[in-house]
Amino acid sequence: MTERIAVYPGSFDPITNGHLDIIERARGLCDRLILAVLVNTEKQPLFSVEERIALIGDNVATGNGARVEVREFSGLLVEFAQSVGARMIVRGLRAMSDFEYEFQMALMNRRLAPRVETVFLMAKEEYSYVSSRLVKEVARLGGDVSALTPPGVARALRRTFTPS
Ligand code: ADP
């Protein structure tokens, strides 16, 4: 049987428990899950791509299901997906606010690569409001985000936003 390869793309700036929840669910649906970390996001990232990959680090090393690989990518997502032999793109959906953009992207990607399917997953309710943007905003103002991110990420945010 051919290996089912899925790509989960994102900025992961930084990775949150919402992302980790989606990753755990996606691992049950494929044999290999490639976390594709976008190099040049339109938004100016807080962490460099190397830092974002380091912060993903061990958090995806163990668990059930597909093995997880982390790669950086830039350019067209469907081209990246095809270059690694993936037939599935995983995206997470939170509230309605995600829907319109994700819907447009999924249909555009289907136009560009009809054989690559986009699959949407929902995280646990308790993470449904968690975004990298909000986590950074709260951390910037000195709030505690340790329940919403892996410990290494909470530490990195504290280091970044603590005046020296
Ligand atoms: P992007 O800049 O591509 O949106 P993100 O790193 O912000 O990158 O998100 C990557 C994907 O993970 C997106 O599909 C986003 O909707 C999803 N995602 C992020 N946080 C959550 C969450 N808490 N619950 C469900 N999906 C999420």
Side-chain angles (χ1 to χ4, degrees):
M1 249 187 60
T2 49
E3 210 180 23
R4 293 168 308 166
I5 304 169
V7 171
Y8 178 23
S11 314
F12 302 104
D13 182 39
I15 193 162
T16 68
N17 289 347
H19 292 124
L20 289 176
D21 187 290
I22 297 292
I23 291 166
E24 284 316 304
R25 290 169 203 281
R27 288 178 94 158
L29 303 175
C30 59
D31 304 307
R32 238 175 100 197
L33 179 65
I34 300 177
L35 235 62
V37 182
L38 190 58
V39 176
N40 295 316
T41 59
E42 276 183 21
K43 326 155 200 171
Q44 180 63 37
L46 176 65
F47 295 106
S48 69
V49 71
E50 293 79 15
E51 289 170 323
R52 284 179 273 145
I53 289 174
L55 289 172
I56 293 169
D58 291 347
N59 294 300
V60 296
T62 54
N64 296 322
R67 69 177 185 277
V68 182
E69 292 163 34
V70 185
R71 306 250 197 109
E72 58 178 70
F73 93 104
S74 55
L76 269 184
L77 172 61
V78 287
E79 276 177 11
F80 176 80
Q82 285 168 327
S83 75
V84 295
R87 295 278 304 278
M88 179 158 102
I89 293 172
V90 173
R91 294 287 286 177
L93 267 189
R94 284 160 295 198
M96 290 304 288
S97 49
D98 279 339
F99 179 77
E100 185 156 3
Y101 174 73
E102 295 291 343
F103 182 74
Q104 288 174 0
M105 284 297 296
L107 291 183
M108 179 56 80
N109 285 336
R110 180 184 286 167
R111 171 178 282 272
L112 296 170
R115 283 165 54 83
V116 178
E117 208 61 68
T118 303
V119 173
F120 293 101
L121 300 175
M122 268 78 69
K124 275 199 201 100
E125 300 95 279
E126 60 195 278
Y127 300 134
S128 62
Y129 66 97
V130 176
S131 67
S132 300
R133 185 185 56 76
L134 192 59
V135 159
K136 285 182 283 193
E137 196 57 37
V138 171
R140 191 192 309 275
L141 298 170
D144 178 14
V145 295
S146 56
L148 309 177
T149 68
V153 170
R155 275 196 301 276
L157 286 166
R158 264 199 305 277
R159 269 199 309 276
T160 305
F161 292 122
T162 305
S164 50

